[in-house]
Amino acid sequence: MTNWQPIETAPKDGRWFIAYNPMTGPYGTCYREGQFPFYGWAPQTHGCGIWYPTPTHWQPFPEAPDVGR
């Protein structure tokens, strides 16, 4: 079972979620400046946030594990 949803339905209120882009695979992001940036290490950008084409799908992050707190 999958929770992937079309990127058009992704939250645009600053919440972080998992996006899927065929160029990068899944990654964590949030809507920013009209896009869904990929933040990761890329030698050509010295690790800065870089922009890839718009992802195709998204899903919420899973609930955090219960660690007994």
Side-chain angles (χ1 to χ4, degrees):
M1 182 174 197
T2 180
N3 294 326
W4 291 109
Q5 301 170 47
I7 196 62
E8 295 80 17
T9 64
K12 294 186 172 112
D13 60 3
R15 283 183 288 158
W16 281 73
F17 55 87
I18 302 169
Y20 177 79
N21 184 313
M23 291 180 64
T24 63
Y27 64 97
T29 193
C30 64
Y31 186 74
R32 182 173 164 205
E33 298 176 20
Q35 299 183 48
F36 304 98
F38 172 85
Y39 296 98
W41 178 252
Q44 67 273 22
T45 64
H46 304 290
C48 299
I50 55 178
W51 303 91
Y52 281 97
T54 301
T56 59
H57 292 81
W58 78 280
Q59 66 176 301
F61 277 106
E63 292 293 321
D66 182 4
V67 293
R69 291 188 206 160

